[in-house]
Amino acid sequence: MKITIYDVAEKAGVSIATVSKVINNTGRISDKTRKKVWSIMEELDYQPSAVASALSGKSTFTIGLTLPDLANPYFAEIARAIEDQGRKHGFNVFMCSTDNDASKEEEYYQLFMKKRVDGIIMVSRDKENVIVKKILNEKVPLVMIAREFFAVPVTSVMVDDYYGGMQAGQHLLEQGHQRIAVIVENLTELGSKERLRGASDAAKEADIAIPESYVIEGGYTLDSGKAAMKQLLMLEQRPTAVFACNDILAIGAIQAVRESGLRVPEDISIVGYDNTILATIVDPPLTTVAQPIKEIGERAVALLVEQIQSKESLRQRVVLMPDLVVRQSTCAIDL
């Protein structure tokens, strides 16, 4: 027998109007009553009609989420944080992985519009910002993660990548390293540029330069991390330390070092970035710059819900701080 709004109201001891207000997030309802009604709906497995809500112009209680690669533990952990936080606010999260493909971003944008999502959270790899512009033109609430859009006001949740890069560089310098290389993801992206700039400025403060030959564009995969590290190992004067701008690149670099017959960290120290679950299970455990993944998800959802409820799209820029986690993939160099 299908559960109706009448069943929810009766079980919760409130009126049908109160249940409706809770579902549509309208009216003055106490937090206690709101939580009670949501609890009863979960207990009875009551599903409000999203189609009916959409046709009436009301909330569908869905958030669209696009991420570049859900196979990457960093984005998988971000997705989990957003899903958990969305649930707390009464929203279901519709997740899509674009595989760093701008055409897939377009497909998922069209799907989100058909589903009448209430808002979108996204990490975009589209250099032309086509989808971002379309979303803004449709006046759909939008929050961007890990990337800013300067042409038009967009709410964003960022991490201070410059500071993270500086932390990585300073750590290696404190270990006595002077030949420090950097494997970046993509030099056309702000995050990669800022991580590199932070590490370079840390070196400059110690009167050390990172030469161009020590900066390799590695992409996003394990294999590309290995390939970038192999390039560095072929240099006449190889580096004694490498800062890889994500954990996957760092692990690829560790594999390449081992395959060459060298050791981490005794011959080459390696620092990653993100502090995903991979950093704790790789051998040796990875020294890495930890991004506040849970907080990124929480802040992104909170800002999106604020836009949905207020129906305003004022730009807010949240910058969170990363923190270095020292493990066994780095050590002091013997001079």
Side-chain angles (χ1 to χ4, degrees):
M1 184 175 179
K2 185 177 180 180
I3 301 297
T4 69
I5 192 171
Y6 298 95
D7 299 314
V8 175
E10 183 179 358
K11 178 106 180 188
V14 298
S15 68
I16 296 169
T18 297
V19 177
S20 178
K21 287 175 182 178
V22 170
I23 292 171
N24 293 293
N25 202 24
T26 59
R28 294 183 178 179
I29 308 293
S30 70
D31 287 341
K32 182 179 179 180
T33 300
R34 193 178 298 278
K35 289 177 181 177
K36 182 179 180 181
V37 172
W38 277 115
S39 176
I40 296 299
M41 285 195 289
E42 287 185 9
E43 180 185 336
L44 298 178
D45 195 25
Y46 172 65
Q47 302 292 332
S49 173
V51 174
S53 295
L55 291 173
S56 64
K58 296 178 181 178
S59 174
T60 59
F61 295 98
T62 55
I63 292 171
L65 171 63
T66 62
L67 297 169
D69 182 10
L70 280 173
N72 182 324
Y74 169 70
F75 292 118
E77 290 173 29
I78 284 279
R80 178 59 185 271
I82 289 173
E83 183 179 35
D84 288 347
Q85 193 65 16
R87 186 175 177 81
K88 288 180 182 178
H89 285 274
F91 286 84
N92 294 312
V93 179
F94 187 16
M95 283 177 275
C96 300
S97 180
T98 64
D99 298 321
N100 294 297
D101 185 341
S103 65
K104 281 192 175 182
E105 282 192 21
E106 171 70 33
E107 289 176 22
Y108 291 135
Y109 160 72
Q110 296 294 342
L111 185 58
F112 289 161
M113 293 301 98
K114 288 179 183 178
K115 295 291 185 181
R116 298 291 294 272
V117 298
D118 296 316
I120 296 172
I121 299 173
M122 69 186 305
V123 179
S124 177
R125 300 292 193 201
D126 178 15
K127 296 180 178 61
E128 302 300 322
N129 300 303
V130 173
I131 304 306
V132 174
K133 292 174 183 174
K134 286 184 178 181
I135 293 170
L136 294 172
N137 287 337
E138 292 287 341
K139 301 190 183 304
V140 176
L142 171 66
V143 174
M144 298 194 72
I145 297 174
R147 187 177 173 211
E148 293 186 276
F149 182 64
F150 297 104
V152 180
V154 178
T155 293
S156 59
V157 179
M158 310 291 295
V159 171
D160 191 333
D161 287 312
Y162 173 80
Y163 178 68
M166 180 165 277
Q167 282 187 305
Q170 287 174 340
H171 171 67
L172 293 172
L173 291 161
E174 288 167 2
Q175 299 292 314
H177 295 279
Q178 296 186 8
R179 301 200 304 273
I180 300 171
V182 182
I183 301 175
V184 299
E185 295 171 319
N186 187 328
L187 280 173
T188 66
E189 294 180 0
L190 181 62
S192 291
K193 290 178 182 177
E194 287 297 282
R195 294 171 196 183
L196 172 60
R197 187 169 72 89
S200 298
D201 282 357
K204 286 177 185 176
E205 288 181 5
D207 293 323
I208 294 170
I210 297 178
E212 285 187 19
S213 61
Y214 275 21
V215 178
I216 307 293
E217 201 165 4
Y220 308 97
T221 68
L222 196 71
D223 287 342
S224 63
K226 287 177 69 173
M229 188 70 235
K230 286 178 180 179
Q231 279 186 253
L232 293 170
L233 292 173
M234 290 192 310
L235 294 174
E236 186 174 342
Q237 190 175 49
R238 69 169 186 255
T240 63
V242 173
F243 167 41
C245 288
N246 70 42
D247 287 350
I248 290 179
L249 291 176
I251 293 169
I254 289 174
Q255 291 181 349
V257 170
R258 284 184 162 170
E259 288 175 8
S260 73
L262 299 173
R263 300 165 299 166
V264 176
E266 292 85 355
D267 297 309
I268 298 179
S269 287
I270 295 178
V271 177
Y273 201 103
D274 289 337
N275 195 36
T276 61
I277 186 66
L278 293 179
T280 63
I281 61 177
V282 67
D283 182 24
L286 184 65
T287 294
T288 186
V289 178
Q291 296 207 55
I293 294 174
K294 184 178 179 182
E295 189 176 359
I296 291 170
E298 290 175 349
R299 298 296 288 273
V301 172
L303 288 168
L304 188 69
V305 171
E306 183 180 330
Q307 286 185 59
I308 293 169
Q309 293 177 346
S310 67
K311 302 188 184 306
E312 294 182 2
S313 57
L314 295 176
R315 181 176 188 263
Q316 297 186 61
R317 183 176 186 267
V318 174
V319 180
L320 305 175
M321 302 306 292
D323 191 30
L324 182 73
V325 178
V326 179
R327 297 192 180 95
Q328 286 77 57
S329 67
T330 55
C331 70
I333 189 171
D334 293 326
L335 298 176

